[in-house]
Each structure stands twice: as structure tokens, then as C-alpha cells.
Amino acid sequence: MRLPLRHPPPEHDPPRRRCAHLEALARAAVGLPLGAAADLVAPGRSRGRHGNALQWHLGLAPHDADARLDWEDRIEIKLVSVWLRGGAVVCDKLKVCDLGVDPWHKLSNVLWVFADRLTRVVVASRSSCLRGDARRRLAVSWSLDPHFEQPDLFVEARERADGTAAPAYYLSARWLRGEGLLPAAGPGIFPFDSRWWGQTRQEHGREPLISVALDPGGQQRCRRCGGPIRFSAEVLAADGWAPAHHGMPMGAQCAPRGHVVVDGRRLLLPAEIPPEDMLDALEKRIAPDAVWRLSERIPEPDDHLHDVEP
DNA sequence: AGCCACCCTTTGATGTCAAT
DNA sequence: ATTGACATCAAAGGGTGGCT
């Protein structure tokens, strides 16, 4: 059920906020797999676990929902899952905040971080400030009928048996595409087959494990346990990834899981982290106490450039 | 016992093609 | 050329399963 917005749009542009430290971290995050950190900071299938993992990598505490902006109360950080459909990059609608919080403030200065839906590897980041025409375009949502006129910012309430609801602000997927925020198709963004993913996860109770195919020929040794992995070379060539069959012997980590291979040549590797560290994290070949944190590997600049208008 | 930054089903839009 | 049956595709929106 869609409801009217509670907060009217602002009539003036918000100040533009930036932080050189956050920008450096965002640049370095491209190519970073979030799965290993998610296992560390969030329980198995909790919602938003990869967003929590990103916050942790940026040096923040995995945050709870409140009205303050994530980064020094100046910049909101939003993780958006993306995948390839029909050759184009797409995403889902995105929750902004609960109905009690002003969404215009949340969206005033945002660092968007995009992660591939299949691999949970960060593929791009960009900053936005809701100013000028962008602000006026979104402000139109205030006067549109929430049901019939498809506003890009809307309130959605969930009817429950007891009549209560937890309404929240959402941004439409159309808005992210229309504003040109989504990254272009390129390395690291794979097609996603939600049917196969959902079925496989249901069969095994957990998300499938990823292996990187360095030789696209159709079989290789598992780098976690040494067991054989087989997959269709044709599917790998066509889609960049393929369902995989892990034969015996199988290690304790591999046995209870479904398996996927992704084409190593189509991965997006990080610029500031050694590729072998990236592959260790992507394939979950890393002990919980050894998971490295991006913020500890990226030096903090002396000047965060808070007061400079770019 | 609630809760929910997911993901699947439904619905509507668009494309294809053969019969008039 | 026009129409309608049928197939295919993507966006909307809400239910549900596993979490705290």
C-alpha cells in the first residue's frame, strides 16, 4: 500500500558536503568483496548484511537506523546491489529511511556504492548532492498521486494481520537509472538468475560459494579444499558465471553449500589491494580473525577538505 | 514473538506473427 | 495494412522465512 509523503521537499538546495578521506576510501573500495566481512559482522541471512559490511570496511560501526547521516552526520552512505539484465545494468527499489525520518535530509549528500548482486564485489561508487534540477525533479513526487502517478520517492506501508504497519520511504529503481547514477556495464557486473540462486540457496540453507575460474575449460581444483569442481565452459563463456558441481572429496566448508564459478577474466580487481587478497576474500578462503579491513589499509589524508566547495 | 535495506509473484507493457 | 492471439519481458508491490 502506498501512502502520501509526510515530509515536504525543501525549497532551497542543501549545502554540498564532501570528505577527502571518504572519497579515498570509496575509490579504494572498488574491487572489494563484501561477503567475507558480512559473515564477520552480520548473522547468516540478516537484511542489509552487506551494507553493514561496507560500513565496517569504511571504518564505521555497522549502523542502526536513525536520522543521522552515516559519515560524520554529513554524508549518507547507500549500498545498491546491481546486476546485468539484457545487457543493461539494473537495480531494485531502495529503502531510504523510516517514515519518521526526513528523506530529503538523508538524500541531500549521498555516497552511492554499487556492488554486484552475484559476487557482492563493489563495482563503482559516486557522490551525489540533491541540488538544482535534481532536487526539483525529485520534489515532484510530493504532488503526485502515490498510487496512479508513480512518484520516484514514495511511502510504502505493509499491511499486517493486526492492522499495524511499518511505513518507510523508498526510491524507485527508475529514479536511480534516470538520474544516471547507475554504473555502466563493464567488468565485475554479471547477469543474475534469481530463480537459480533462490533454489540453490534453499536446497543448501546458505548462499552458494563462489570460485574463480582461472582456466575457463570446465574443471579445476577447489582452492578451499582441493576437491574437483566442474562446470559448463559454454555457460561460463556466455554469462561470465556458471553453476558448478563440487565433487568428492569435499571440505567441511564446501560440503553444505551450493557452488558457482565466475570467469576470472571478467572480474573487477581492486587497484590498491593485492589481487590475491581480493581472491582470498571472494572465495572465503580466509579465517574469521584474519579478515582484513579496508580502512586499515588506506591512509587517512591530513586534510579532509570539509570546507572546500568543489 | 515481532520484525524486516529481500526477492518472488503478479500485472502490465511490448514484441511477434499469422489470419484476414 | 489491421487486428488479435500469443509469447516474452520488466516493473510494481507485497508475502514470507529466518533472524533478533
Side-chain angles (χ1 to χ4, degrees), chain A residues 11-310:
Chain A
E11 292 179 13
H12 303 286
D13 286 346
R16 192 187 293 275
R17 306 288 195 196
R18 61 172 300 195
C19 173
H21 185 204
L22 182 58
E23 288 162 17
L25 285 166
R27 268 196 307 277
V30 173
L32 175 74
L34 296 173
D39 291 347
L40 193 68
V41 302
R45 287 188 55 185
S46 66
R47 285 155 195 274
R49 59 197 301 270
H50 295 99
N52 293 345
L54 174 66
Q55 303 258 17
W56 180 80
H57 267 301
L58 297 177
L60 300 167
H63 89 310
D64 50 346
D66 69 27
R68 286 159 38 88
L69 305 189
D70 299 315
W71 188 265
E72 301 166 343
D73 199 20
R74 304 171 83 250
I75 300 170
E76 179 75 3
I77 299 162
K78 288 269 177 239
L79 178 66
V80 182
S81 294
V82 295
W83 62 98
L84 224 47
R85 186 167 56 205
V89 176
V90 296
C91 66
D92 209 341
K93 71 183 172 192
L94 182 81
K95 182 172 172 179
V96 178
C97 55
D98 290 331
L99 186 57
V101 173
D102 182 357
W104 305 101
H105 178 56
K106 282 271 179 189
L107 294 172
S108 58
N109 282 277
V110 180
L111 173 71
W112 304 93
V113 178
F114 301 94
D116 177 61
R117 179 79 184 74
L118 177 70
T119 60
R120 302 293 184 178
V121 172
V122 175
V123 292
S125 67
R126 73 165 63 205
S127 298
S128 75
C129 184
L130 198 60
R131 292 167 69 93
D133 288 340
R135 171 175 61 79
R136 284 184 282 272
R137 279 193 295 274
L138 192 60
V140 169
S141 300
W142 175 253
S143 51
L144 292 183
D145 181 287
H147 190 66
F148 296 104
E149 297 182 293
Q150 305 187 342
D152 284 324
L153 180 68
F154 52 91
V155 172
E156 214 166 272
R158 302 299 156 90
E159 303 286 353
R160 287 206 296 267
D162 60 0
T164 63
Y169 284 102
Y170 288 83
L171 278 171
S172 71
R174 175 181 359 100
W175 182 79
L176 281 141
R177 193 185 58 220
E179 293 292 315
L181 291 167
L182 294 182
I189 308 182
F190 296 90
F192 185 70
D193 183 339
S194 66
R195 174 167 298 187
W196 180 87
W197 185 266
Q199 278 175 3
T200 305
R201 197 185 52 183
Q202 191 163 17
E203 269 173 40
H204 297 90
R206 291 202 59 187
E207 313 224 315
L209 276 175
I210 293 172
S211 296
V212 178
L214 297 174
D215 169 8
Q219 53 187 347
Q220 64 184 39
R221 289 277 149 195
C222 174
R223 283 177 290 275
R224 286 174 294 266
C225 68
I229 291 177
R230 293 197 313 275
F231 53 91
S232 159
E234 290 74 28
V235 173
L236 187 77
D239 297 337
W241 71 276
H245 179 265
H246 193 312
M248 301 297 281
M250 215 174 335
Q253 186 186 7
C254 295
R257 307 284 284 266
H259 290 271
V260 175
V261 289
V262 298
D263 189 337
R265 295 168 303 183
R266 300 205 211 179
L267 279 176
L268 181 58
L269 294 175
E272 300 175 48
I273 299 289
E276 53 272 25
D277 288 3
M278 186 275 195
L279 295 178
D280 283 349
L282 180 60
E283 294 188 331
K284 306 267 180 81
R285 284 183 287 113
I286 188 164
D289 58 358
V291 176
W292 42 270
R293 193 174 189 179
L294 184 69
S295 62
E296 290 170 1
R297 303 179 74 156
I298 302 302
E300 181 174 344
D302 294 333
D303 185 356
H304 287 205
L305 303 176
H306 280 184
D307 302 320
V308 179
E309 289 283 320

